[in-house]
Amino acid sequence: MIKNIAIGTGRRKTAVARVFLREGSGKIVVNGKDVKEYFTSEAQVRIVNQPLLVTSNTGKYDILINVCGGGLNGQAAACLHGLSRALTQVDPNARPSLKANGYLTRDSRMVERKKYGQRGARRRFQFSKR
């Protein structure tokens, strides 16, 4: 049986990522697929790998991520947040470098709700004087 070293939960917009850290060779699996296969953009893959680069833990752990909700960009940011939290459980010395880069802070920006009588959150219908 494979034992999880640490578990971290990351959130961004409506995306929630559960990150499981295991002993291994640096393989990252997101929802049963390889990270490069799941995240289509190279920038999104880079976002997910960011905490590993900052703490110089690339290739030390196998990472299993279950992510749901939101779009791919929000999911990538949720993975970053969850992975950062999991790494602080394993190595408390990594906390200052992760905190300095802002990876431990949950990005609380959400989509503003649409108001009634309007086309969007702030967009109004065209005003007609006559």
Side-chain angles (χ1 to χ4, degrees):
M1 192 181 136
I2 304 161
K3 191 174 184 300
N4 295 324
I5 304 170
I7 301 168
T9 308
R11 294 181 185 91
R12 172 76 175 98
K13 292 187 180 180
T14 55
V16 180
R18 289 189 307 263
V19 180
F20 303 95
L21 232 63
R22 299 170 174 173
E23 291 289 340
S25 57
K27 204 168 87 176
I28 303 174
V29 178
V30 183
N31 289 357
K33 294 181 183 176
D34 184 58
V35 69
K36 288 187 176 83
E37 200 179 315
Y38 186 81
F39 291 113
T40 51
S41 166
E42 189 61 45
Q44 291 165 347
V45 175
R46 219 174 303 120
I47 286 169
V48 175
N49 286 321
Q50 214 64 44
L52 296 169
L53 295 170
V54 168
T55 57
S56 63
N57 282 326
T58 312
K60 282 188 182 176
Y61 306 107
D62 277 349
I63 300 155
L64 178 72
I65 304 173
N66 292 332
V67 66
C68 63
L72 287 176
N73 278 324
Q75 286 185 352
C79 291
L80 171 129
H81 186 225
L83 183 54
S84 300
R85 280 179 154 188
L87 285 169
T88 52
Q89 285 181 11
V90 174
D91 183 21
N93 299 329
R95 188 175 170 82
S97 60
L98 289 168
K99 197 166 173 64
N101 285 299
Y103 297 154
L104 293 172
T105 309
R106 190 234 194 264
D107 196 343
S108 60
R109 294 176 295 173
M110 296 289 276
V111 177
E112 193 174 328
R113 80 172 190 88
K114 183 196 167 296
K115 280 75 170 188
Y116 60 88
Q118 292 184 25
R119 271 175 54 182
R122 307 228 170 159
R123 177 88 167 94
R124 301 272 160 87
F125 287 111
Q126 189 170 14
F127 175 72
S128 171
K129 195 170 186 178
R130 280 175 202 86

PDB file of all heavy atoms in Angstrom, residues 1 9 12-13 24 26 33 39 59 71 74 83-87 97 101 117 119 125:
ATOM      1  N   MET A   1       0.834  -1.196   0.000  1.00  0.00           N
ATOM      2  CA  MET A   1       0.000   0.000   0.000  1.00  0.00           C
ATOM      3  C   MET A   1       0.878   1.259   0.000  1.00  0.00           C
ATOM      4  O   MET A   1       1.882   1.330   0.687  1.00  0.00           O
ATOM      5  CB  MET A   1      -0.890   0.000   1.233  1.00  0.00           C
ATOM      6  CG  MET A   1      -1.965   1.042   1.174  1.00  0.00           C
ATOM      7  SD  MET A   1      -2.953   0.986   2.676  1.00  0.00           S
ATOM      8  CE  MET A   1      -3.061   2.712   2.980  1.00  0.00           C
ATOM      9  N   THR A   9      -5.038  20.922   0.843  1.00  0.00           N
ATOM     10  CA  THR A   9      -6.218  21.342   0.087  1.00  0.00           C
ATOM     11  C   THR A   9      -5.983  22.746  -0.426  1.00  0.00           C
ATOM     12  O   THR A   9      -5.683  23.649   0.357  1.00  0.00           O
ATOM     13  CB  THR A   9      -7.475  21.327   0.971  1.00  0.00           C
ATOM     14  OG1 THR A   9      -7.578  20.047   1.592  1.00  0.00           O
ATOM     15  CG2 THR A   9      -8.724  21.576   0.147  1.00  0.00           C
ATOM     16  N   ARG A  12      -9.149  28.028  -5.397  1.00  0.00           N
ATOM     17  CA  ARG A  12      -9.062  29.252  -6.207  1.00  0.00           C
ATOM     18  C   ARG A  12     -10.351  29.380  -6.986  1.00  0.00           C
ATOM     19  O   ARG A  12     -10.752  28.425  -7.664  1.00  0.00           O
ATOM     20  CB  ARG A  12      -7.866  29.173  -7.154  1.00  0.00           C
ATOM     21  CG  ARG A  12      -7.806  30.302  -8.174  1.00  0.00           C
ATOM     22  CD  ARG A  12      -7.328  31.608  -7.532  1.00  0.00           C
ATOM     23  NE  ARG A  12      -7.157  32.648  -8.511  1.00  0.00           N
ATOM     24  CZ  ARG A  12      -8.069  33.598  -8.752  1.00  0.00           C
ATOM     25  NH1 ARG A  12      -9.203  33.628  -8.096  1.00  0.00           N
ATOM     26  NH2 ARG A  12      -7.838  34.522  -9.652  1.00  0.00           N
ATOM     27  N   LYS A  13     -11.011  30.530  -6.892  1.00  0.00           N
ATOM     28  CA  LYS A  13     -12.329  30.741  -7.504  1.00  0.00           C
ATOM     29  C   LYS A  13     -13.260  29.615  -7.053  1.00  0.00           C
ATOM     30  O   LYS A  13     -13.507  29.479  -5.858  1.00  0.00           O
ATOM     31  CB  LYS A  13     -12.223  30.835  -9.017  1.00  0.00           C
ATOM     32  CG  LYS A  13     -11.511  32.077  -9.521  1.00  0.00           C
ATOM     33  CD  LYS A  13     -11.603  32.184 -11.022  1.00  0.00           C
ATOM     34  CE  LYS A  13     -10.913  33.412 -11.533  1.00  0.00           C
ATOM     35  NZ  LYS A  13     -11.004  33.517 -12.991  1.00  0.00           N
ATOM     36  N   GLY A  24       8.667   9.222  -3.956  1.00  0.00           N
ATOM     37  CA  GLY A  24       8.734   8.816  -5.354  1.00  0.00           C
ATOM     38  C   GLY A  24       9.779   9.562  -6.153  1.00  0.00           C
ATOM     39  O   GLY A  24      10.738  10.096  -5.605  1.00  0.00           O
ATOM     40  N   GLY A  26       9.068  12.063  -8.616  1.00  0.00           N
ATOM     41  CA  GLY A  26       8.697  13.355  -9.191  1.00  0.00           C
ATOM     42  C   GLY A  26       7.585  13.312 -10.209  1.00  0.00           C
ATOM     43  O   GLY A  26       7.436  14.236 -11.007  1.00  0.00           O
ATOM     44  N   LYS A  33      -4.512  11.596 -15.005  1.00  0.00           N
ATOM     45  CA  LYS A  33      -3.707  11.875 -16.201  1.00  0.00           C
ATOM     46  C   LYS A  33      -2.399  12.539 -15.783  1.00  0.00           C
ATOM     47  O   LYS A  33      -2.299  13.102 -14.700  1.00  0.00           O
ATOM     48  CB  LYS A  33      -4.449  12.835 -17.146  1.00  0.00           C
ATOM     49  CG  LYS A  33      -5.702  12.280 -17.759  1.00  0.00           C
ATOM     50  CD  LYS A  33      -6.312  13.321 -18.676  1.00  0.00           C
ATOM     51  CE  LYS A  33      -7.626  12.856 -19.275  1.00  0.00           C
ATOM     52  NZ  LYS A  33      -8.253  13.910 -20.090  1.00  0.00           N
ATOM     53  N   PHE A  39      -3.299  19.582 -18.111  1.00  0.00           N
ATOM     54  CA  PHE A  39      -3.242  21.023 -18.358  1.00  0.00           C
ATOM     55  C   PHE A  39      -2.659  21.257 -19.738  1.00  0.00           C
ATOM     56  O   PHE A  39      -1.501  20.948 -20.002  1.00  0.00           O
ATOM     57  CB  PHE A  39      -2.404  21.727 -17.285  1.00  0.00           C
ATOM     58  CG  PHE A  39      -3.052  21.736 -15.939  1.00  0.00           C
ATOM     59  CD1 PHE A  39      -2.507  21.025 -14.884  1.00  0.00           C
ATOM     60  CD2 PHE A  39      -4.214  22.455 -15.710  1.00  0.00           C
ATOM     61  CE1 PHE A  39      -3.097  21.032 -13.635  1.00  0.00           C
ATOM     62  CE2 PHE A  39      -4.816  22.462 -14.466  1.00  0.00           C
ATOM     63  CZ  PHE A  39      -4.262  21.752 -13.425  1.00  0.00           C
ATOM     64  N   GLY A  59      11.481  16.296  -8.249  1.00  0.00           N
ATOM     65  CA  GLY A  59      11.926  14.915  -8.373  1.00  0.00           C
ATOM     66  C   GLY A  59      12.001  14.136  -7.076  1.00  0.00           C
ATOM     67  O   GLY A  59      12.409  12.987  -7.076  1.00  0.00           O
ATOM     68  N   GLY A  71     -12.469  26.447 -14.001  1.00  0.00           N
ATOM     69  CA  GLY A  71     -11.811  26.226 -15.281  1.00  0.00           C
ATOM     70  C   GLY A  71     -10.380  25.782 -15.061  1.00  0.00           C
ATOM     71  O   GLY A  71      -9.933  25.619 -13.929  1.00  0.00           O
ATOM     72  N   GLY A  74      -8.082  28.294 -12.966  1.00  0.00           N
ATOM     73  CA  GLY A  74      -8.417  28.238 -11.545  1.00  0.00           C
ATOM     74  C   GLY A  74      -7.957  26.943 -10.909  1.00  0.00           C
ATOM     75  O   GLY A  74      -7.484  26.919  -9.775  1.00  0.00           O
ATOM     76  N   LEU A  83      -0.490  22.180  -3.166  1.00  0.00           N
ATOM     77  CA  LEU A  83       0.862  21.618  -3.147  1.00  0.00           C
ATOM     78  C   LEU A  83       1.752  22.376  -2.151  1.00  0.00           C
ATOM     79  O   LEU A  83       2.534  21.766  -1.424  1.00  0.00           O
ATOM     80  CB  LEU A  83       1.465  21.664  -4.553  1.00  0.00           C
ATOM     81  CG  LEU A  83       2.840  21.055  -4.762  1.00  0.00           C
ATOM     82  CD1 LEU A  83       2.890  19.610  -4.278  1.00  0.00           C
ATOM     83  CD2 LEU A  83       3.220  21.103  -6.238  1.00  0.00           C
ATOM     84  N   SER A  84       1.585  23.683  -2.100  1.00  0.00           N
ATOM     85  CA  SER A  84       2.344  24.498  -1.145  1.00  0.00           C
ATOM     86  C   SER A  84       2.001  24.116   0.287  1.00  0.00           C
ATOM     87  O   SER A  84       2.886  23.997   1.134  1.00  0.00           O
ATOM     88  CB  SER A  84       2.043  25.980  -1.356  1.00  0.00           C
ATOM     89  OG  SER A  84       2.387  26.364  -2.658  1.00  0.00           O
ATOM     90  N   ARG A  85       0.726  23.892   0.541  1.00  0.00           N
ATOM     91  CA  ARG A  85       0.281  23.502   1.886  1.00  0.00           C
ATOM     92  C   ARG A  85       0.827  22.123   2.264  1.00  0.00           C
ATOM     93  O   ARG A  85       1.223  21.902   3.411  1.00  0.00           O
ATOM     94  CB  ARG A  85      -1.240  23.475   1.947  1.00  0.00           C
ATOM     95  CG  ARG A  85      -1.867  24.840   2.109  1.00  0.00           C
ATOM     96  CD  ARG A  85      -3.373  24.709   2.127  1.00  0.00           C
ATOM     97  NE  ARG A  85      -3.990  25.795   2.848  1.00  0.00           N
ATOM     98  CZ  ARG A  85      -5.289  25.838   3.138  1.00  0.00           C
ATOM     99  NH1 ARG A  85      -6.090  24.851   2.772  1.00  0.00           N
ATOM    100  NH2 ARG A  85      -5.793  26.849   3.775  1.00  0.00           N
ATOM    101  N   ALA A  86       0.825  21.205   1.304  1.00  0.00           N
ATOM    102  CA  ALA A  86       1.338  19.858   1.560  1.00  0.00           C
ATOM    103  C   ALA A  86       2.840  19.884   1.824  1.00  0.00           C
ATOM    104  O   ALA A  86       3.335  19.168   2.701  1.00  0.00           O
ATOM    105  CB  ALA A  86       1.019  18.943   0.385  1.00  0.00           C
ATOM    106  N   LEU A  87       3.570  20.710   1.085  1.00  0.00           N
ATOM    107  CA  LEU A  87       5.029  20.809   1.273  1.00  0.00           C
ATOM    108  C   LEU A  87       5.397  21.380   2.641  1.00  0.00           C
ATOM    109  O   LEU A  87       6.410  20.990   3.213  1.00  0.00           O
ATOM    110  CB  LEU A  87       5.652  21.667   0.161  1.00  0.00           C
ATOM    111  CG  LEU A  87       5.782  21.006  -1.209  1.00  0.00           C
ATOM    112  CD1 LEU A  87       6.156  22.029  -2.262  1.00  0.00           C
ATOM    113  CD2 LEU A  87       6.798  19.888  -1.187  1.00  0.00           C
ATOM    114  N   SER A  97      10.000  30.528   2.318  1.00  0.00           N
ATOM    115  CA  SER A  97      10.162  30.771   0.882  1.00  0.00           C
ATOM    116  C   SER A  97       8.827  30.695   0.143  1.00  0.00           C
ATOM    117  O   SER A  97       8.583  31.459  -0.787  1.00  0.00           O
ATOM    118  CB  SER A  97      11.161  29.787   0.276  1.00  0.00           C
ATOM    119  OG  SER A  97      10.711  28.466   0.455  1.00  0.00           O
ATOM    120  N   ASN A 101       6.719  34.075  -1.657  1.00  0.00           N
ATOM    121  CA  ASN A 101       6.199  34.094  -3.021  1.00  0.00           C
ATOM    122  C   ASN A 101       4.676  34.172  -3.071  1.00  0.00           C
ATOM    123  O   ASN A 101       4.090  34.257  -4.150  1.00  0.00           O
ATOM    124  CB  ASN A 101       6.663  32.843  -3.783  1.00  0.00           C
ATOM    125  CG  ASN A 101       8.113  32.938  -4.168  1.00  0.00           C
ATOM    126  OD1 ASN A 101       8.512  33.838  -4.901  1.00  0.00           O
ATOM    127  ND2 ASN A 101       8.930  32.036  -3.651  1.00  0.00           N
ATOM    128  N   GLY A 117     -31.704  43.250 -14.094  1.00  0.00           N
ATOM    129  CA  GLY A 117     -31.867  44.475 -14.876  1.00  0.00           C
ATOM    130  C   GLY A 117     -30.598  44.912 -15.573  1.00  0.00           C
ATOM    131  O   GLY A 117     -30.530  46.010 -16.129  1.00  0.00           O
ATOM    132  N   ARG A 119     -26.944  43.458 -17.990  1.00  0.00           N
ATOM    133  CA  ARG A 119     -26.463  42.391 -18.866  1.00  0.00           C
ATOM    134  C   ARG A 119     -25.411  41.525 -18.207  1.00  0.00           C
ATOM    135  O   ARG A 119     -25.230  40.378 -18.586  1.00  0.00           O
ATOM    136  CB  ARG A 119     -25.899  42.997 -20.147  1.00  0.00           C
ATOM    137  CG  ARG A 119     -26.964  43.170 -21.217  1.00  0.00           C
ATOM    138  CD  ARG A 119     -26.445  43.867 -22.440  1.00  0.00           C
ATOM    139  NE  ARG A 119     -25.266  43.248 -23.025  1.00  0.00           N
ATOM    140  CZ  ARG A 119     -24.625  43.724 -24.079  1.00  0.00           C
ATOM    141  NH1 ARG A 119     -25.062  44.829 -24.667  1.00  0.00           N
ATOM    142  NH2 ARG A 119     -23.559  43.123 -24.556  1.00  0.00           N
ATOM    143  N   PHE A 125     -27.503  47.718 -19.869  1.00  0.00           N
ATOM    144  CA  PHE A 125     -28.132  47.730 -21.189  1.00  0.00           C
ATOM    145  C   PHE A 125     -27.923  49.112 -21.800  1.00  0.00           C
ATOM    146  O   PHE A 125     -27.754  50.100 -21.079  1.00  0.00           O
ATOM    147  CB  PHE A 125     -29.631  47.433 -21.069  1.00  0.00           C
ATOM    148  CG  PHE A 125     -29.954  46.011 -20.747  1.00  0.00           C
ATOM    149  CD1 PHE A 125     -30.484  45.658 -19.521  1.00  0.00           C
ATOM    150  CD2 PHE A 125     -29.699  45.000 -21.675  1.00  0.00           C
ATOM    151  CE1 PHE A 125     -30.754  44.342 -19.230  1.00  0.00           C
ATOM    152  CE2 PHE A 125     -29.969  43.695 -21.394  1.00  0.00           C
ATOM    153  CZ  PHE A 125     -30.500  43.359 -20.165  1.00  0.00           C
TER     154      PHE A 125
END
